[in-house]
Amino acid sequence: MHKSVKDILEKRQSGTKISVITAYDYTMASLCDKAGIDILLVGDSAGMVMLGYESTVPVTMDQMVLFTEAVSRARQNALIVSDLPFMSYQASISDAIANSGKLVKAGADAVKLEGGKAMSGTIKAIVETGIPVMGHIGFQPQTTTLAQGYKVQGRTKDAAVRLIEDAKALEEAGVFSIALEMVTDEVSKIISETISVPTIGIGSGKYCDGQVLVVHDILGMYDKLKPKFVKQYLSLSDQITKAVSNYRTDVESGKFPAEENWFSMDKSELEKLRKEIGK
Ligand code: KIV
């Protein structure tokens, strides 16, 4: 049986940090799940790392459904949270509920959406339909990139107060956890100590109840952005390019395929064939 929201809440109660990683496809999700990760986040960052968009803004519901289905076929253990993409929940509460339902039918256990106080009515309505929601405040890629570009959140007293109020409003609306993106260490600490649901940080310091990173970043597979908060555990880009280049030179030189890579006919069948075709 895979993890439930209750398991995530209990993990926080036990004082053990919650591990979250993004996943968008079957193979990577299988590997991350096998590694014992608590939550597989089908993030809309898929738009950038899987589809090559400049931001998460162009991502569609159909794409998120496809990624969620692939991840859910792989999952054995983790909880799956899927992102509601830009404009799938902002225009109306009925859009938000219908699109959350589509992600759940695709295999998600919960959905995530960006926004503070202004989104609390929408979150409450989704939660009331029985779908768990993860909030997302601080840097909000779907809208902040349009307005201000990448920027750390909560550096001033006023900005900090707004973030704390947003976190409280989301808690009241019924979220089961809140992602804090690029929020200063001090403000993350206050929020994590103030609210009763787990905080999941990305670039938000050590006081969060859990951490999330984009899987391509930890594996060194996406070179366009290298945020300071990422810890890179592998340099797969270099290794993959080198391996594919070795394959190319083997093909060009005839070194590949070798005998162990091909299939042969039965000798007597070959003899019969030769006779029949006169060779
Ligand atoms: O889409 C995503 O990867 C996310 C994380 C950055 C939290 O929302």
Side-chain angles (χ1 to χ4, degrees):
M1 188 59 195
H2 64 78
K3 286 189 178 152
S4 64
V5 164
K6 189 163 161 270
D7 294 322
I8 302 300
L9 300 178
E10 282 173 4
K11 189 152 187 183
R12 188 225 194 189
Q13 288 309 115
S14 76
T16 310
K17 302 273 185 180
I18 300 157
S19 57
V20 187
I21 193 94
T22 64
Y24 322 99
D25 68 287
Y26 175 84
T27 304
M28 194 67 88
S30 304
L31 297 172
C32 295
D33 191 73
K34 209 165 150 194
I37 283 285
D38 292 311
I39 302 179
L40 294 173
L41 172 65
V42 188
D44 58 357
S45 48
M48 299 168 79
V49 299
M50 299 293 286
L51 303 175
Y53 298 142
E54 289 295 316
S55 75
T56 58
V57 170
V59 176
T60 66
M61 267 307 296
D62 285 348
Q63 290 164 346
M64 291 308 297
V65 163
L66 196 72
F67 291 129
T68 302
E69 284 171 347
V71 169
S72 90
R73 279 182 217 116
R75 171 275 295 275
Q76 302 278 325
N77 175 58
L79 184 85
I80 299 178
V81 178
S82 288
D83 266 343
L84 282 161
F86 183 54
M87 289 320 292
S88 68
Y89 57 96
Q90 291 94 339
S92 71
I93 287 183
S94 64
D95 272 5
I97 294 174
N99 287 322
S100 300
K102 283 185 190 167
L103 294 178
V104 169
K105 281 177 189 281
D109 303 304
V111 300
K112 174 165 83 58
L113 60 87
E114 295 179 11
K117 251 188 218 164
M119 278 298 142
S120 55
T122 304
I123 291 171
K124 194 162 182 285
I126 301 172
V127 172
E128 276 168 3
T129 65
I131 300 175
V133 176
M134 178 185 280
H136 182 151
I137 58 173
F139 177 72
Q140 294 165 37
Q142 292 177 3
T143 47
T144 325
T145 27
L146 295 174
Q148 323 170 355
Y150 282 82
K151 196 166 155 250
V152 176
Q153 309 288 308
R155 284 207 197 266
T156 65
K157 189 247 326 160
D158 288 348
V161 168
R162 275 197 299 277
L163 279 168
I164 296 163
E165 284 174 355
D166 278 340
K168 285 184 182 162
L170 296 196
E171 179 190 23
E172 211 161 294
V175 295
F176 78 94
S177 62
I178 304 180
L180 299 180
E181 183 159 356
M182 286 210 298
V183 171
T184 52
D185 196 44
E186 297 82 354
V187 177
S188 293
K189 181 171 192 283
I190 295 170
I191 293 175
S192 302
E193 287 170 356
T194 307
I195 62 170
S196 61
V197 295
T199 55
I200 307 292
I202 173 158
S204 297
K206 66 176 181 180
Y207 294 103
C208 294
D209 302 300
Q211 296 291 327
V212 55
L213 283 175
V214 170
V215 69
H216 289 63
D217 289 340
I218 71 160
L219 299 180
M221 289 176 75
Y222 183 75
D223 300 329
K224 270 190 167 175
L225 277 179
K226 288 213 185 272
K228 161 186 155 118
F229 57 77
V230 168
K231 181 167 177 186
Q232 195 179 314
Y233 291 81
L234 277 179
S235 298
L236 275 191
S237 296
D238 297 343
Q239 291 182 42
I240 292 172
T241 309
K242 194 152 182 256
V244 175
S245 155
N246 288 343
Y247 164 70
R248 177 182 58 77
T249 52
D250 280 357
V251 169
E252 286 173 357
S253 68
K255 201 168 161 197
F256 175 84
E259 200 172 347
E260 68 263 26
N261 309 116
W262 66 61
F263 308 96
S264 296
M265 278 180 79
D266 192 82
K267 282 208 169 34
S268 61
E269 288 299 311
L270 178 60
E271 212 38 56
K272 284 189 236 163
L273 174 68
R274 284 204 171 117
K275 275 189 191 136
E276 182 152 334
I277 62 175
K279 284 198 175 177

